[in-house]
Amino acid sequence: MVKKMKFRLAFIGFGVVGQGFADILLKKEHELKDRYGFEYEVVAISDMKLGSVYDEDGLDLSRVMNMVNQGDRLEDYPTGIKGWDPLKTIKESNADTIIEVTYTDMKTGGPALEHVRTALKAGKHVVSTNKGPVANAAKELMELADRNGVKYRFEGTVVSGTPTINLAWETLAGCEIKEIKGILNGTTNYILSKMEEGMEYEDALKKAQELGYAEADPTGDVEGIDAQGKVLILSNTVMGADMELEDVAREGITGISLQDVEEAKKEGHRWKLIGSTKKTEGGIEASVGPEKIPMDHPLAGVMGPTNALTFTTDLLGDVTIIGPGAGKMETGFSLLVDLLAINGAMEG
Ligand code: HSE
């Protein structure tokens, strides 16, 4: 196996997704080294709730995870510098790769946008699951990465680790993608599936929250804003558009009643919240809204929190991918696959 660089990682944010990724790194450490020549050390973690720690010689990640699992703060770690905020950690630590997994602010990009910008300007790779920066500034950030000779990858921003962006960029390279269309939000698909079993909307939403599918504020899910962000990201990073959130027409599922679901069923249809972005003569058209899908359509069979996307291409026709759209391990995996892609691109 070719010897690659040893990644020095800094986590900005260490919530469910960051911890899920840390678990994967620990569990697969030897396998990743043997199969891909991938080696890492975590030098810094800076989190709004847990505090921060930086040690230029690397942290013992198992120890960090044990501490976090028993409710300790990062400041309780025995060595290293404490109290650095995200920007100081990004600029002044010796990390070469930033794992940006803070909370998403779709409207402005939030502090995450500045984290990504600062890291790329400092010549550090960024892997991130944060939709905010990509939704607000994909073009600027991708150009910034190019200019600084580093990578910015964000597979997890669209339906967690289920391949979408990397699928389009790499596996479907050479194809013209004419349209991407599908189910991009697990919460709403779960609610509609439960309503078909006769459950009231409110009860189904409550259950989706209990199961952890819905965002902290589920308005983003049920009003279609989460799916709108994903359609925007696909439009700008895969379809070559330069759109803003408002350019993606949006309608959620709050107007669909139990009666509508029942009526559709009798007609041999199913309501689905469908996101799409397609090439037209007038440019890229993108939207999110409820559609009545015939029962024999592949997307009609996608039930519960599962997501699915069909890529319509010139060389292959339709390619459909079905998989999870959220979850600790599933989103953690997206960070791993992005890091392995960077590792593969490095000189041996
Ligand atoms: N709340 C989202 C969903 C998950 O239900 O699909 C992450 O975007």
Side-chain angles (χ1 to χ4, degrees):
M1 175 57 67
V2 182
K3 178 87 179 77
K4 305 278 186 180
M5 69 187 251
K6 182 171 190 170
F7 284 81
R8 284 193 308 273
L9 309 176
F11 281 74
I12 304 300
F14 205 58
V16 174
V17 173
Q19 290 176 33
F21 180 47
D23 281 339
I24 296 175
L25 283 175
L26 285 170
K27 198 166 145 223
K28 291 192 172 256
E29 184 171 356
H30 300 295
E31 185 189 337
L32 293 172
K33 187 174 172 195
D34 292 347
R35 283 178 66 187
Y36 307 105
F38 174 85
E39 291 183 87
Y40 72 91
E41 64 188 1
V42 175
V43 293
I45 305 175
S46 181
D47 181 79
M48 213 164 64
K49 287 192 189 139
L50 297 171
S52 81
V53 57
Y54 165 54
D55 190 327
E56 61 179 5
D57 296 325
L59 302 166
D60 176 346
L61 191 57
S62 305
R63 184 167 192 160
V64 170
M65 288 310 289
N66 286 337
M67 285 173 52
V68 169
N69 288 334
Q70 66 188 36
D72 293 342
R73 288 176 54 78
L74 296 169
E75 264 90 18
D76 300 326
Y77 190 83
T79 64
I81 302 170
K82 313 291 159 54
W84 280 14
D85 67 15
L87 288 176
K88 195 169 169 77
T89 304
I90 292 165
K91 283 192 276 204
E92 295 185 26
S93 75
N94 65 354
D96 50 46
T97 304
I98 304 299
I99 313 296
E100 214 295 340
V101 282
T102 63
Y103 70 93
T104 288
D105 177 342
M106 199 90 91
K107 291 231 159 68
T108 66
L113 177 52
E114 210 39 45
H115 300 161
V116 176
R117 227 180 237 142
T118 305
L120 297 174
K121 274 188 196 152
K124 302 187 178 199
H125 303 296
V126 177
V127 296
S128 178
T129 56
N130 199 317
K131 297 180 190 66
V134 198
N136 283 272
K139 201 159 170 261
E140 175 212 318
L141 296 172
M142 290 196 297
E143 283 171 7
L144 194 57
D146 278 351
R147 274 206 304 282
N148 287 283
V150 288
K151 308 282 180 193
Y152 174 39
R153 300 192 64 117
F154 40 82
E155 174 63 53
T157 59
V158 177
V159 307
S160 73
T162 299
T164 55
I165 296 167
N166 294 344
L167 176 74
W169 281 355
E170 281 145 22
T171 311
L172 296 177
C175 283
E176 184 199 354
I177 297 173
K178 295 163 183 267
E179 182 176 12
I180 309 173
K181 177 174 174 159
I183 297 164
L184 288 142
N185 180 268
T187 301
T188 45
N189 204 50
Y190 175 82
I191 293 173
L192 292 171
S193 301
K194 283 286 157 196
M195 284 171 78
E196 205 175 300
E197 292 169 16
M199 198 184 269
E200 290 288 347
Y201 169 86
E202 287 301 338
D203 296 334
L205 172 58
K206 214 164 137 232
K207 194 109 187 81
Q209 283 176 294
E210 279 165 20
L211 290 166
Y213 305 141
E215 299 294 304
D217 175 3
T219 320
D221 293 299
V222 296
E223 295 292 358
I225 303 164
D226 175 73
Q228 186 187 30
K230 292 169 188 165
V231 168
L232 175 69
I233 292 171
L234 290 172
S235 301
N236 286 352
T237 64
V238 173
M239 303 295 278
D242 192 7
M243 293 179 158
E244 295 184 2
L245 201 59
E246 296 69 40
D247 299 324
V248 180
R250 170 179 62 84
E251 191 186 330
I253 62 158
T254 48
I256 298 182
S257 66
L258 211 48
Q259 196 184 343
D260 295 329
V261 172
E262 277 305 313
E263 274 166 22
K265 204 163 140 185
K266 281 186 209 135
E267 294 164 11
H269 284 74
R270 240 177 213 150
W271 282 104
K272 294 286 179 194
L273 185 68
I274 300 292
S276 77
T277 173
K278 64 174 177 217
K279 287 188 181 159
T280 68
E281 284 190 0
I284 305 293
E285 269 178 22
S287 65
V288 172
E291 278 182 33
K292 255 197 286 186
I293 305 279
M295 227 48 119
D296 59 357
H297 188 283
L299 291 178
V302 178
M303 302 299 276
T306 304
N307 288 192
L309 274 182
T310 299
F311 292 75
T312 302
T313 70
D314 58 347
L315 301 179
L316 287 173
D318 284 357
V319 176
T320 298
I321 185 137
I322 302 178
K328 187 175 177 183
M329 280 298 142
E330 295 81 347
T331 312
F333 161 76
S334 74
L335 296 162
L336 177 66
V337 79
D338 280 346
L339 263 190
L340 289 177
I342 297 175
N343 186 54
M346 294 294 125
E347 293 293 324

